[in-house]
Amino acid sequence: MVYIQNVYGVGDGAGNLTPDSVNIQNKIAQTATYLFVFLYATEWTSFFSDMLSLTAAAGTTVRDNLRGAAFYLRVLNAVHDEIADILVPKLEHERTRDNELKDLVRRRDAKTIALSWQEILFEWRGKNSSLVAQCLAAVRRWVAWTDISLFINDPFLNILFELITPPQSTAQDDTTFVATETFTEILGKKMSAGDKLELIDVLKVRDVVSQLIESKGLRELRATPNYDTDLAEAVAKLVNNAMYDIIKALESVQDGEPTSIRGNAQLNTYLPYVLRFFSDEYDEICSTVIPCMTDLLALFRKKAKMNSTFCSENAGMLPPILNAVIAKMKYDDTSAWGNEDSQTDEAEFQELRKRLGVLQQAVASVNENLCLDTISNLVIEAFGKFQSQQGHIDWRDLDLAMHEMFLFGELSLKNGGQYSKGKPASPAAERLIGMMVKLVGSEIASFSHPAIQLQYMEICVRYYTFFEANPQLIAPVLEKFVQLVHHDHIRVQSRSWYLFHRFVKHVRQHIGDIAQTVIQALGGLLQIKAELPEITSDNGEFSSDENDQNASSKFTRQLYLYEAIGSICSAHTVPVNNQVLYVRSIITPLYSDLEAHLGPAKIGDERATLQVHHLIMAFGTLARGFSDWTPGSTASSTPPAKIVSDEFMKGAEATLVALETLSSAFDVRTAARFALSRFIAVLGNHLLPQLPRWIDGLLSQTSSKEEMALFLRLLDQIVFGFKSEIFDVLNTLLTPFLQRVFLGIGEAAAGTDDEIQLAELKREYLNFLLVILNNNLERVLVSETNQLAFEAVINMIEHLAKDVTDFAAAKLALFILTRMVETWGGPDVQSPSTSHGNNITNITPQPTLPGFDRFMMTRFSPLCWALPTNLDFPSKDAQAKIVLGEAAGLQKAIYLKTGQEYVTWLRNVELRDMGMDAGIMEEYLRALCNFDLKGFRQFFQALVQKSINARKV
């Protein structure tokens, strides 16, 4: 303390030493704070008095020692951070200690400290804004845990008001901003609802806000680059917090109570201030008051449900709120849509629009008719202005109207759609239909600004049911779409191709007459040209600039066009012969291009290889658009006609040739797998003879575990879809196919990613077996052709059933064994449960596979104990318990198929060889014979847990 007095104090010899650096001052303050924590309660009770003495000469209260005052405030802030910062996690005994210290401070020194703040602010206001800011920072920290009366007194408030609203002749500095933040923290002091409303009046928040809004920085400079946005945001936060407190108070009281009357008056007083900052041109300031707007509308909804008079008394609030929300959704005059330099601002504005949309829906939930009238009038007025002025209208006004029209769907579609029995489903739907008629009947799609053109397409896609009910309007709209997909603006082009695909997919059954015209109009956009990303760094890494991204994304967008053309070709109104011609006109150029690039790709031309990838993806995407039929499904859709499938077969054959030629290329395998999954819907069972070739190409020596897993998943789909026709093909390819899968599973994992892929491959292998068993194709596993592979299949299942590191695979493996028991075990020779063990029947098992009864007991049954007897088995783990349940299910299934033979085998061989106690063995056998499946699962889990507990002892 002597050193502190000498460096920072006042008096003989004090303050003459060179002051410490800021870092050293912080360390000294931190050290003093640690001493405070341990000594203030007992030995250093004069801690705050000693620190305060640094600020003034002895016997005076003029805090004119700048160095001492700054250090004193630094210590106060450090003390708060140590004992009162709620964001710092503490142990229970530390929290108890801190609470005791805060109680002591409140009793001993809080009044003196609060008075010292007044004295420091009085002395240094207008002289040293840095020290004033430091003092206000201490006030903001301490107000949360000290008595509010220390701050609610005339001397302190007068100084604070003076700092917040200095005379107009005085230049504003950061002090106003800091003082406003401090005022906001004081207002945020927790208290009851009635007390908080009184505090708002006592603090004269309305006068403070009003004066700040009229200050030069917020009024005169508002439309200039010198607008004080920091101060505006601070005042907006003050207004938001005041409104929040008013709203919370109104939520907790009934109509007519004094608190309700007072709160209603304050609500009407502060709403104009909320709307002032909500309408601010700076989105950050607007966002500051959105929370209280949200809370206010939530209060309206809550009161409306209670049939409160609040809504009728304050109904006049909703129109200005809605108008402010709508006005804020408009692009400002400085915005530049589509400019690369303003992409961040554009993204932030769109995010703000989403939040504003939520507010608008909240208004609609309180007064839907208000929203219907306001929005529909806005839209109709804008469209009318567009027509009367022959297109000479600010694009921002038209964009706002179309954006509101897009959002209007939240009102019109919430009842399930626009139409019900051919008529508008609701008043909102009727308004929307009228707006759609205006939109389509105008030339808005021809407006030159790209934002309007995109909005036009977005609206048509969203309200496609309007066109289903008015098919005569599809042709002119589709003509506009075709024009817009040729747009030269990259942003319009990137979005319009997707929107064109969406629109065509919805209305394709109504465009048969113009299908050929549309396809021909898109011909120039279908040419595929692969582009490699540029290598710009010395280490050979690809650049990630926007051009490279555009090269890749352009092809992705082209795929939308191919899918759209597939949808157009397949329309029921298009004759089958025409479908053939249209498909052929698309596939033939792709085929020729693929043929031309195979040679260069084979000798290592990377661009040619990428071109092959793109062409194969185009084949698959065209097929996806053409047919949504799924083999094996009960949906009403049907597969394409045979002559159409023949055309797609050419694409499939070309893809196979490319795959066989470039099977070592990852991109080609990826595209081929994609295409195969799409060819299923257009080729049907004509694809099955090609399946061995697909497997050879997709499961090459270089295929990763992830690729194998993905192909197994696809094969599951094929097996399910063609289960009645696939036996012969599956019988031929199963053994070589499984051998490749076994090689993949047998490879050691080389890292975390590889471990994840290996686990996925294991599960997909097991799922494939399950699909075979569930679709009555089990004969393929034991056929003469695959008999030799059956042992390998069982070995792999056994291996996975014992894997303590992968419970998902173990569970599935045990379940598959159970399915095998049910499939090949023959009829049940034992009822699921009996009352007494003596009722076990002696019926001889009759498995459908000779010897399978013995096989179940000798090979499957021991697996049920493999995991529980593993020393690493975590029996209390939730997944481990599920595995035990599957193991119990397998044992019960074997018992039902073999009866007494299984009981004898367990007693005389399996359990005896395990060394199981005779008493436990008999208890286990009684449970197996007597309990139902659920009961035996519970018994088995408990038995294993008991055994493991005994083993640990």
Side-chain angles (χ1 to χ4, degrees):
M1 191 64 200
V2 173
Y3 174 80
I4 294 175
Q5 182 66 45
N6 289 338
V7 177
Y8 302 102
V10 180
D12 295 338
N16 296 326
L17 299 177
T18 302
D20 299 306
S21 65
V22 174
N23 290 338
I24 297 300
Q25 290 184 47
N26 288 336
K27 285 296 182 182
I28 295 173
Q30 187 180 40
T31 302
T33 300
Y34 289 154
L35 293 172
F36 160 82
V37 169
F38 292 103
L39 300 177
Y40 179 71
T42 54
E43 299 179 40
W44 198 358
T45 58
S46 62
F47 175 83
F48 290 107
S49 299
D50 293 343
M51 293 299 168
L52 183 60
S53 68
L54 303 173
T55 65
T60 72
T61 59
V62 180
R63 310 297 174 186
D64 56 357
N65 179 24
L66 178 61
R67 191 184 300 179
F71 184 78
Y72 167 68
L73 294 171
R74 194 182 301 274
V75 170
L76 289 184
N77 288 330
V79 168
H80 165 83
D81 293 344
E82 180 62 31
I83 69 172
D85 191 343
I86 61 175
L87 299 180
V88 178
K90 296 287 186 72
L91 298 175
E92 182 63 32
H93 73 276
E94 292 175 327
R95 289 196 295 271
T96 301
R97 178 203 65 194
D98 291 347
N99 289 333
E100 291 173 352
L101 284 172
K102 286 188 288 186
D103 288 340
L104 283 175
V105 171
R106 283 189 282 258
R107 288 200 304 269
R108 293 177 181 174
D109 296 298
K111 291 183 179 180
T112 302
I113 294 170
L115 182 61
S116 73
W117 290 330
Q118 296 180 30
E119 294 165 350
I120 291 172
L121 291 174
F122 182 83
E123 177 64 28
W124 292 101
R125 71 191 193 282
K127 297 179 183 178
N128 191 305
S129 59
S130 177
L131 186 67
V132 170
Q134 193 175 356
C135 183
L136 292 174
V139 174
R140 289 198 302 275
R141 283 176 165 87
W142 284 61
V143 69
W145 56 278
T146 49
D147 192 343
I148 189 66
S149 64
L150 300 175
F151 307 92
I152 308 303
N153 56 76
D154 288 340
F156 181 81
L157 290 179
N158 288 337
I159 296 175
L160 190 58
F161 291 154
E162 182 181 335
L163 294 173
I164 293 174
T165 56
Q168 291 294 327
S169 59
T170 304
Q172 287 182 322
D173 55 22
D174 289 341
T175 302
T176 301
F177 169 75
V178 176
T180 303
E181 285 195 322
T182 305
F183 190 77
T184 303
E185 289 297 325
I186 295 173
L187 181 63
K189 180 76 173 179
K190 293 183 179 180
M191 58 186 67
S192 66
D195 291 342
K196 179 55 67 78
L197 297 185
E198 183 178 358
L199 178 64
I200 291 174
D201 288 339
V202 170
L203 290 178
K204 302 177 182 178
V205 178
R206 181 190 62 182
D207 296 340
V208 170
V209 172
S210 178
Q211 292 180 47
L212 285 170
I213 290 176
E214 291 300 316
S215 66
K216 181 178 180 180
L218 298 191
R219 184 173 61 84
E220 295 180 20
L221 302 178
R222 182 175 180 181
T224 72
N226 296 321
Y227 180 48
D228 194 341
T229 55
D230 289 339
L231 179 59
E233 194 168 349
V235 181
K237 182 179 179 182
L238 172 60
V239 172
N240 180 76
N241 289 4
M243 279 292 282
Y244 171 83
D245 291 330
I246 295 169
I247 293 166
K248 291 303 175 185
L250 289 172
E251 285 181 346
S252 60
V253 297
Q254 300 295 322
D255 295 340
E257 294 184 13
T259 300
S260 175
I261 296 171
R262 188 176 202 169
N264 265 319
Q266 292 178 338
L267 200 64
N268 283 276
T269 297
Y270 287 95
L271 180 61
Y273 300 140
V274 173
L275 296 179
R276 152 63 180 89
F277 291 105
F278 182 81
S279 61
D280 197 283
E281 54 268 32
Y282 287 89
D283 294 343
E284 297 85 354
I285 298 170
C286 167
S287 298
T288 304
V289 295
I290 286 180
C292 74
M293 291 272 280
T294 304
D295 291 337
L296 175 58
L297 294 172
L299 176 65
F300 266 100
R301 290 198 302 272
K302 180 179 179 181
K303 294 292 186 179
K305 291 180 180 179
M306 299 168 58
N307 295 319
S308 168
T309 60
F310 173 87
C311 294
S312 57
E313 292 172 355
N314 296 285
M317 292 183 179
L318 292 177
I321 290 175
L322 179 60
N323 291 334
V325 170
I326 293 175
K328 193 61 187 175
M329 287 187 182
K330 181 181 176 180
Y331 279 96
D332 61 47
D333 294 338
T334 62
S335 58
W337 188 95
N339 192 325
E340 293 181 5
D341 297 332
S342 60
Q343 287 184 354
T344 301
D345 293 339
E346 169 74 11
E348 291 175 351
F349 177 65
Q350 293 303 328
E351 188 61 33
L352 176 63
R353 268 188 165 181
K354 292 179 182 178
R355 299 179 68 187
L356 295 172
V358 173
L359 288 177
Q360 186 167 293
Q361 290 305 309
V363 175
S365 67
V366 178
N367 190 337
E368 182 173 312
N369 289 332
L370 172 65
C371 284
L372 293 181
D373 293 339
T374 304
I375 296 174
S376 59
N377 290 340
L378 171 74
V379 173
I380 297 300
E381 181 181 346
F383 289 174
K385 187 177 180 181
F386 171 82
Q387 289 181 308
S388 64
Q389 298 182 4
Q390 298 180 343
H392 297 292
I393 182 175
D394 190 331
W395 72 268
R396 297 172 182 85
D397 293 330
L398 199 52
D399 172 82
L400 175 62
M402 297 184 75
H403 179 69
E404 285 293 346
M405 185 175 173
F406 185 86
L407 294 182
F408 200 84
E410 301 297 330
L411 300 175
S412 64
L413 303 180
K414 66 180 182 180
N415 295 323
Q418 289 177 266
Y419 293 92
S420 176
K421 297 180 180 179
K423 296 181 179 180
S426 64
E430 186 174 5
R431 298 280 187 100
L432 179 59
I433 292 169
M435 287 187 275
M436 286 297 297
V437 171
K438 284 278 188 181
L439 177 70
V440 176
S442 68
E443 287 296 318
I444 288 178
S446 302
F447 191 81
S448 60
H449 198 280
I452 306 305
Q453 296 164 342
L454 273 185
Q455 285 274 31
Y456 177 86
M457 298 183 76
E458 297 277 5
I459 290 171
C460 290
V461 170
R462 179 166 198 187
Y463 304 128
Y464 69 90
T465 54
F466 168 79
F467 296 99
E468 292 178 335
N470 300 275
Q472 74 279 5
L473 299 177
I474 292 177
V477 170
L478 201 56
E479 181 182 353
K480 300 296 184 184
F481 269 63
V482 171
Q483 293 173 3
L484 293 175
V485 296
H486 288 84
H487 206 288
D488 55 0
H489 194 290
I490 183 62
R491 186 167 170 185
V492 175
Q493 186 186 90
S494 63
R495 183 66 177 166
S496 65
W497 291 3
Y498 167 73
L499 293 173
F500 175 78
H501 150 254
R502 287 282 309 279
F503 186 70
V504 164
K505 188 174 182 179
H506 289 310
V507 302
R508 62 180 175 177
Q509 301 305 335
H510 302 284
I511 58 178
D513 295 340
I514 58 173
Q516 183 175 3
T517 304
V518 174
I519 294 172
Q520 290 175 346
L522 297 176
L525 302 175
L526 299 180
Q527 184 177 0
I528 294 175
K529 185 179 180 181
E531 297 180 28
L532 290 173
E534 296 178 3
I535 300 177
T536 58
S537 57
D538 295 335
N539 60 5
E541 292 183 354
F542 292 121
S543 68
S544 59
D545 60 30
E546 189 175 354
N547 289 332
D548 288 340
Q549 293 177 6
N550 283 341
S552 174
S553 62
K554 180 181 178 181
F555 169 67
T556 302
R557 297 194 302 271
Q558 276 185 303
L559 292 180
Y560 289 126
L561 295 181
Y562 275 97
E563 185 168 353
I565 289 177
S567 296
I568 295 172
C569 294
S570 65
H572 295 159
T573 53
V574 176
V576 173
N577 290 335
N578 287 354
Q579 292 182 2
V580 173
L581 293 176
Y582 299 157
V583 171
R584 183 181 300 160
S585 69
I586 303 301
I587 287 182
T588 300
L590 295 176
Y591 182 90
S592 300
D593 199 4
L594 182 63
E595 193 174 38
H597 283 87
L598 276 182
K602 189 175 182 180
I603 60 176
D605 187 325
E606 292 185 11
R607 200 205 71 81
T609 302
L610 186 59
Q611 181 77 4
V612 171
H613 163 273
H614 286 8
L615 294 168
I616 294 174
M617 292 290 291
F619 280 136
T621 306
L622 181 68
R624 176 169 63 183
F626 191 92
S627 176
D628 55 6
W629 172 68
T630 302
S633 71
T634 57
S636 58
S637 57
T638 57
K642 174 67 167 58
I643 56 175
V644 178
S645 294
D646 289 344
E647 293 300 322
F648 280 105
M649 183 61 76
K650 297 175 184 176
E653 181 62 30
T655 301
L656 269 176
V657 171
L659 179 62
E660 291 167 342
T661 305
L662 303 171
S663 61
S664 61
F666 172 78
D667 286 344
V668 173
R669 294 197 305 271
T670 301
R673 187 173 60 251
F674 168 86
L676 172 60
S677 66
R678 274 65 187 180
F679 282 142
I680 295 171
V682 293
L683 299 182
N685 58 9
H686 303 297
L687 180 72
L688 297 182
Q690 292 182 338
L691 202 54
R693 294 172 63 193
W694 286 103
I695 292 175
D696 287 340
L698 292 173
L699 298 186
S700 69
Q701 297 299 321
T702 56
S703 296
S704 66
K705 297 179 180 66
E706 182 180 23
E707 289 180 82
M708 292 183 184
L710 290 172
F711 182 74
L712 276 166
R713 196 175 302 162
L714 176 57
L715 195 56
D716 292 346
Q717 177 186 348
I718 295 173
V719 171
F720 172 78
F722 303 106
K723 51 192 170 188
S724 61
E725 305 155 284
I726 200 173
F727 180 86
D728 292 337
V729 175
L730 191 61
N731 190 46
T732 302
L733 61 83
L734 185 66
T735 295
F737 168 66
L738 289 179
Q739 287 174 347
R740 298 189 189 187
V741 174
F742 292 157
L743 287 174
I745 295 176
E747 293 176 358
T752 303
D753 291 343
D754 210 24
E755 288 177 356
I756 294 173
Q757 292 179 14
L758 178 59
E760 185 67 19
L761 178 58
K762 292 175 182 177
R763 286 191 285 272
E764 290 303 329
Y765 161 71
L766 293 170
N767 277 321
F768 173 66
L769 295 179
L770 193 58
V771 168
I772 290 176
L773 293 170
N774 287 341
N775 288 282
N776 300 318
L777 292 168
E778 64 277 359
R779 291 183 298 118
V780 77
L781 295 173
V782 293
S783 68
E784 185 176 349
T785 303
N786 300 303
Q787 204 165 38
L788 295 178
F790 183 69
E791 180 65 22
V793 170
I794 296 299
N795 287 340
M796 182 59 69
I797 297 174
E798 290 176 334
H799 169 72
L800 298 177
K802 295 185 289 186
D803 190 350
V804 76
T805 65
D806 190 348
F807 286 136
K811 169 184 173 294
L812 191 52
L814 290 168
F815 180 71
I816 288 173
L817 293 177
T818 302
R819 287 289 293 116
M820 288 182 173
V821 169
E822 295 168 349
T823 301
W824 291 314
D828 290 353
V829 300
Q830 189 65 51
S831 60
S833 63
T834 57
S835 302
H836 305 286
N838 294 332
N839 290 342
I840 301 176
T841 63
N842 292 311
I843 302 174
T844 303
Q846 302 172 20
T848 57
L849 284 182
F852 193 71
D853 52 338
R854 189 71 178 176
F855 189 82
M856 291 187 292
M857 292 187 289
T858 58
R859 296 288 295 274
F860 293 179
S861 181
L863 293 173
C864 301
W865 299 95
L867 282 176
T869 56
N870 188 313
L871 297 179
D872 296 324
F873 183 69
S875 58
K876 294 183 180 180
D877 182 89
Q879 292 190 60
K881 290 181 179 180
I882 294 175
V883 174
L884 290 178
E886 288 298 338
L890 175 58
Q891 296 170 82
K892 193 70 176 177
I894 297 174
Y895 168 70
L896 295 178
K897 301 298 181 183
T898 57
Q900 181 61 49
E901 288 191 14
Y902 186 41
V903 174
T904 303
W905 164 264
L906 289 171
R907 180 182 286 115
N908 297 337
V909 181
E910 186 174 323
L911 300 181
R912 186 192 64 187
D913 291 348
M914 286 172 52
M916 182 177 288
D917 177 80
I920 297 176
M921 182 191 303
E922 292 304 321
E923 182 185 5
Y924 164 79
L925 293 175
R926 284 195 300 271
L928 175 64
C929 298
N930 296 341
F931 291 171
D932 62 8
L933 178 58
K934 180 179 179 180
F936 183 65
R937 278 177 171 165
Q938 294 173 347
F939 170 82
F940 187 66
Q941 290 167 345
L943 177 65
V944 170
Q945 184 61 56
K946 182 179 178 181
S947 174
I948 291 176
N949 293 338
R951 187 169 63 201
K952 291 179 179 179
V953 175

